[in-house]
Amino acid sequence: MNGENEKRRVIVARHAGFCFGVRRAVEVAGRLSGQAERVYTLGPIIHNPEVVSSLAARGVLPVEEADQIPADSRVIIRSHGVGRAVMEALKARGLLIEDATCPFVKRIHDLADIASSQGRAVIVVGEASHPEVQGILGWARALGRAVYSAEEAMGLENLLHPLVVAQTTITQERFASVCAAIQARVTEPEIHNTICSTTAKRQSEAVEIAKKVDVMVVVGGKNSSNTQKLQSLCSGFCPRTYLVQTLEEAKRLTILPGDSIGITAGASTPDGTFKEVVTRMNDIEKQDQAVDTAEIASQEPAETMAESDFMADVEKTLVQIRPGQTIVGTVVQITDDEVCVNVGYKADGLVKKSDLSSTDVKVGDEIEVEVVKVNDGEGNVLLSQRNIVNRKNWDAIVAKSEADEYVDGVGKEAVKGGLIANVMGIRAFIPASQLSKHYVEKIEDFVGKEMKLKIIEVDKAKKRIVCSRKAVLLAEEAEKKKAVWATLKEGEVVEGIVRRLTSFGVFVDIGGVDGLVHITDLSWGRVKQPSDVVSVNQKIPVKILSLDPEKERISLSYKATQPRPWDVAGEKYAVGSVVEGKVVRITTFGAFVELEPGLDGLVHISQCAPTRIAKVEDAVKVGDVIRVKILSVDTEAKRISLSIREVLEDEALEDNTNSLDEFAIAGEDELPEV
């Protein structure tokens, strides 16, 4: 043995036993067991026969298929999760669903769902038969496949941009080797290392302990995948590695005098079983120490006395408690301010009603409590339930942070620089710059407001978190934009709302994203300023000219939704008709007259007046609104010839005709009667 082993013969892993997801699922099952005659779990709640049997005795029964569950029953989805089809089948049957899917696994479901909705393949690095892998594949829309080795990965077809995720309990080494093969086989894989951080810590710590000890004991269900992996990893460094499922199996292990012992446990191992095995290994250590001490003095009598002293020591350890320890006790008395709980210690424990997670307790109830003080100065044990709730909530918040999930919070107090919010009973700070996408003038407006938040910083020492509402809003906006971009196509005409006018054009909202209508695309005619054509909040049709997703730029046209003036000029302006127009430009050879935006005609200098003129300005000026006669229309050449002279001549002729008519009528009146 090395120096460390001589000082400490039993090394217990810190990261051992129930992980967050499994603990949560078991707690849900325990809570529901007293609320209904029968509760069902889809598959064993965990890979541990003792826990499953214990829950079954309390009415929590495992089934393999959804159709085995009676109608109107309550069903628990275990931490492994299930596929979309299974979830929909449960809902279709009207079952009451308690979803205890591990947050880490749920995140993988979301990744698979999004990727498959885009038509991309989903590759799960893990055991195809494992229920967690089956659940992930159930969210991949028949585009999923599981691979467990580099050889299997090399057999994949050449997929384009597939999503690659990991079963949460596989080893980092396996994931790395399989991913290397995937990268060599497929094109542009999107790889997400979704191995649970707790699993990675558990495995690495177990390996370090196995390197230092003579005997390695792995406690857990023999059908548990993660427990089997722990045994396999440890066996590579400690040949005498044993997998035990119960205390009785641990008692049958062969431990030699002087052996150093390492102990770890799989994620499906209950705390009670793990502690029993740890106690057993510590007992062996104490026995060896007792025998060593006795041999120095004498043989038989001393051995008997050492064994007796040891048994007394063991008896003492069974009833010892310590601050921070979580234990289960029985309510024996209730007063106005406190609840008295028997925890099997030499003194009963007291819980202030303000420290109860629920005041709905009665004598005889079993409740879970945390030891605050072993002796409050008067011989009483101080207990708390709220600490347990807060700790569980804190663990849940940390898990959500690690899984990059959002949390719900309520604004509580405006302080200097931001807002204090309550997130699952935990104090959270939201900097003013993270409250909104825009500057917030009155932070107090957020007090009492419910909001979805993203955790951006975790202070584990102070149990405080820093959150951002702005990050959630930006992410939601980005998702909305992404969805809109997926529907846009060049050449399509869509309806938009004018949001902003600038000197060079207008910005139009087309369903959550803005596009630019350049000033030259507002009208077929000349535009001095956009406000001459459109106004803010006006709904207009626009045509999508071009899309640039990388730069998030959209080019639009308003005029493209209107008919081209020259296309209908021949029908609209008949030769010989007289129309009004505005003089917009004068040249040496004539005047250009705007008949409508985008459509100009030319009045040649010879057609500007009834008599010959030296220059056009002698007849008209820019800005004059005049009547002109259509002489000719050439739509292909985009030319219209106009005449002011013919209008004037026609009007003069009409005036002369009218005068003659009046004279003739007047002459008839003067004729003498016959």
Side-chain angles (χ1 to χ4, degrees), residues 394-466:
W394 175 256
D395 291 341
I397 285 174
V398 171
K400 284 181 176 290
S401 175
E402 293 175 347
D404 205 25
E405 293 182 357
Y406 297 150
V407 294
D408 294 319
V410 179
K412 288 299 181 183
E413 180 186 3
V415 296
K416 183 178 180 180
L419 178 77
I420 300 298
N422 184 321
V423 177
M424 297 172 65
I426 304 299
R427 179 184 176 92
F429 177 66
I430 309 173
S433 61
Q434 296 296 324
L435 272 171
S436 175
K437 294 186 294 181
H438 311 291
Y439 173 76
V440 175
E441 186 172 351
K442 294 183 178 180
I443 296 176
E444 56 270 18
D445 289 347
F446 287 84
V447 174
K449 183 176 181 178
E450 295 182 0
M451 59 194 84
K452 195 173 291 293
L453 303 168
K454 177 181 175 63
I455 301 171
I456 57 178
E457 186 179 330
V458 177
D459 187 336
K460 294 184 178 180
K462 296 181 180 179
K463 282 189 165 50
R464 291 180 182 174
I465 56 176
V466 178

Side-chain angles (χ1 to χ4, degrees), residues 370-405:
E370 178 182 297
V371 179
V372 178
K373 285 185 179 180
V374 176
N375 189 334
D376 65 352
E378 297 180 1
N380 297 315
V381 179
L382 291 187
L383 306 172
S384 172
Q385 265 194 317
R386 191 168 298 281
N387 287 354
I388 297 175
V389 174
N390 289 343
R391 186 168 62 251
K392 290 178 180 177
N393 287 346
W394 175 256
D395 291 341
I397 285 174
V398 171
K400 284 181 176 290
S401 175
E402 293 175 347
D404 205 25
E405 293 182 357

Side-chain angles (χ1 to χ4, degrees), residues 65 109 228 240 299 338 348 379 395 428 520 634 642:
E65 302 294 337
H109 289 177
Q228 292 172 358
R240 293 168 63 194
Q299 294 297 323
E338 296 176 323
D348 288 335
D395 291 341
T520 57
D634 186 344
L642 306 173

Side-chain angles (χ1 to χ4, degrees), residues 24 55 92 127 137 162 182 188 199 216 238 256 333 358 385 410 414 418 432 472 479 507 520 547 573 584 611 615 642:
R24 176 167 163 261
L55 288 171
E127 301 168 86
L137 294 175
I182 290 173
E188 296 181 359
T199 298
M216 189 70 190
C238 179
L256 302 176
Q333 184 180 358
S358 171
Q385 265 194 317
V410 179
V472 176
E479 284 298 318
F507 287 93
T520 57
L547 298 168
Y573 299 97
V584 293
T611 59
K615 54 183 179 179
L642 306 173

Side-chain angles (χ1 to χ4, degrees), residues 38-156:
R38 289 285 186 272
V39 178
Y40 297 87
T41 65
L42 202 54
I45 195 73
I46 59 172
H47 293 304
N48 188 287
E50 283 71 29
V51 175
V52 174
S53 297
S54 174
L55 288 171
R58 294 159 61 186
V60 182
L61 306 177
V63 296
E64 293 301 325
E65 302 294 337
D67 56 13
Q68 296 177 272
I69 305 173
D72 300 325
S73 296
R74 191 177 294 275
V75 58
I76 303 172
I77 304 299
R78 56 186 173 176
S79 59
H80 294 315
V82 296
R84 182 201 300 274
V86 176
M87 187 67 79
E88 290 177 350
L90 295 174
K91 291 178 180 178
R93 296 197 58 215
L95 300 174
L96 301 175
I97 300 173
E98 289 284 343
D99 192 354
T101 303
C102 172
F104 288 99
V105 177
K106 187 69 176 71
R107 175 171 172 260
I108 305 175
H109 289 177
D110 293 339
L111 290 171
D113 188 27
I114 293 171
S116 61
S117 69
Q118 298 169 345
R120 297 164 53 203
V122 178
I123 303 173
V124 185
V125 182
E127 301 168 86
S129 60
H130 194 279
E132 179 190 309
V133 175
Q134 288 294 310
I136 298 170
L137 294 175
W139 287 93
R141 291 182 175 83
L143 295 175
R145 63 281 321 264
V147 294
Y148 191 62
S149 65
E151 290 74 19
E152 290 181 21
M154 291 304 294
L156 291 169

Side-chain angles (χ1 to χ4, degrees), residues 185-199:
R185 182 62 184 154
V186 307
T187 303
E188 296 181 359
E190 179 187 345
I191 298 175
H192 290 259
N193 186 343
T194 53
I195 298 175
C196 175
S197 57
T198 304
T199 298

